[in-house]
Amino acid sequence: MKYLYLLYQLLIAAPIIIVYTIFTALTVTIGCTIGNGNFWGYYPGRWWSWLIIRILLLPVKVEGRENLEKNQSYIFVSNHQGAFDIFLIYGFLQRNFKWMMKRQIRNIPLVGLASQASHQIFVDKRGPSKIKKTYDQARKTLQGGMSLVVFPEGARTFTGHMGLFKRGAFMLADDIRLPVVPLTINGSFEVMPRTRDAKWAIWHPLKLTIHKPIAPPAGEEDYISKIMDESYKTIMQDLDPKYQGYEENPDQ
């Protein structure tokens, strides 16, 4: 079965994914240039992500959508197991949002161009002025009513376990007083961990758990640390037991 799945990816899935990736990147770039960036910056990417997971025959289970209010903006924070985290969240969260992503993604042909055209937020740590610009852009996006998805670890795991959370997303939540929604991803590490980048996917079910929003407590000074710790524990407790527990990530 393993080799049949590899053959299926090579002959059927991969050609479709490559063609549709090019089509999506061009659609996003052109659509956002013409207008209505909130639509073109989200829906083509959502359909692209949904197609990739479906064409690879990966089962998906989503829990907790009922925890979200229809017109509320959120800061979503998730563990970062592997490359398929992006497809799972983009394709199945069913929420219009912007990504906070590494600036190196700008260098990916077509994908970087589409990300820039759709005003995704690139994290640039090359000095205080660039860091400030990153957070100013994120603040403007959130104040405009959009939601934001962040991987607070800042890097994918090497082991399936969670590393440390960085404070940036939680500082934004404190600044704008927005609810933080923890997301737990299971299965992505088995499908394609970072040690297998650009190799064939391994068939494995995926699960996205949308936890209850953590609202900013009124008048509490140490909100940042509190919300970060609570988010971390919430995500951790829903991980597959074999991946529970902190392990140092040398890439952080």
Side-chain angles (χ1 to χ4, degrees):
M1 186 63 69
K2 174 183 175 181
Y3 295 106
L4 283 176
Y5 187 54
L6 289 175
L7 189 62
Y8 167 78
Q9 289 184 65
L10 177 64
L11 299 179
I12 299 174
I16 294 174
I17 289 171
I18 291 169
V19 170
Y20 197 59
T21 297
I22 295 170
F23 173 77
T24 300
L26 292 174
T27 299
V28 170
T29 303
I30 295 170
C32 289
T33 302
I34 294 173
N36 196 358
N38 285 344
F39 177 88
W40 295 107
Y42 169 67
Y43 284 99
R46 172 182 166 182
W47 299 328
W48 167 72
S49 297
W50 182 92
L51 177 73
I52 287 175
I53 287 181
R54 291 310 189 197
I55 202 71
L56 289 171
L57 311 177
L58 302 173
V60 172
K61 182 178 181 180
V62 180
E63 293 182 348
R65 284 204 190 100
E66 69 278 5
N67 292 326
L68 305 179
E69 296 180 20
K70 185 175 181 181
N71 296 314
Q72 173 67 50
S73 294
Y74 296 104
I75 296 180
F76 296 95
V77 295
S78 173
N79 60 314
H80 205 359
Q81 282 205 331
F84 275 74
D85 299 346
I86 294 170
F87 307 133
L88 182 60
I89 293 176
Y90 221 162
F92 295 88
L93 181 60
Q94 294 185 3
R95 200 79 180 191
N96 200 332
F97 63 85
K98 299 295 183 185
W99 290 100
M100 183 172 277
M101 57 179 63
K102 289 184 176 181
R103 64 179 177 83
Q104 289 87 345
I105 292 178
R106 274 199 182 107
N107 300 325
I108 300 176
L110 292 179
V111 173
L113 185 63
S115 298
Q116 191 160 341
S118 57
H119 301 290
Q120 308 302 327
I121 300 165
F122 295 98
V123 179
D124 194 333
K125 301 177 183 178
R126 296 174 299 173
S129 63
K130 294 187 180 295
I131 293 174
K132 181 180 183 300
K133 184 177 179 181
T134 295
Y135 285 102
D136 285 346
Q137 183 185 355
R139 191 178 296 107
K140 183 178 178 181
T141 295
L142 290 166
Q143 288 173 337
M146 185 65 65
S147 292
L148 185 68
V149 173
V150 185
F151 296 113
E153 294 166 274
R156 288 170 292 162
T157 177
F158 284 97
T159 64
H161 293 260
M162 288 170 61
L164 297 173
F165 273 6
K166 299 180 180 180
R167 293 170 63 88
F170 306 98
M171 291 171 65
L172 279 171
D174 178 51
D175 185 21
I176 308 177
R177 310 305 287 177
L178 279 181
V180 171
V181 179
L183 304 174
T184 301
I185 290 175
N186 280 293
S188 177
F189 185 74
E190 281 80 7
V191 174
M192 188 177 289
R194 65 184 303 175
T195 52
R196 287 182 50 85
D197 277 354
K199 296 183 180 179
W200 304 110
I202 298 172
W203 189 93
H204 193 280
L206 294 165
K207 182 182 177 184
L208 174 65
T209 303
I210 306 166
H211 299 282
K212 291 183 179 180
I214 305 171
E220 188 164 329
E221 293 183 0
D222 197 23
Y223 169 61
I224 298 173
S225 296
K226 182 182 186 323
I227 207 78
M228 184 166 65
D229 291 343
E230 188 173 347
S231 297
Y232 194 93
K233 291 175 183 176
T234 299
I235 295 170
M236 176 76 77
Q237 70 186 9
D238 203 56
L239 279 175
D240 187 310
K242 66 184 176 183
Y243 296 130
Q244 291 186 7
Y246 162 77
E247 283 193 10
E248 183 180 0
N249 186 337
D251 200 26
Q252 285 194 300

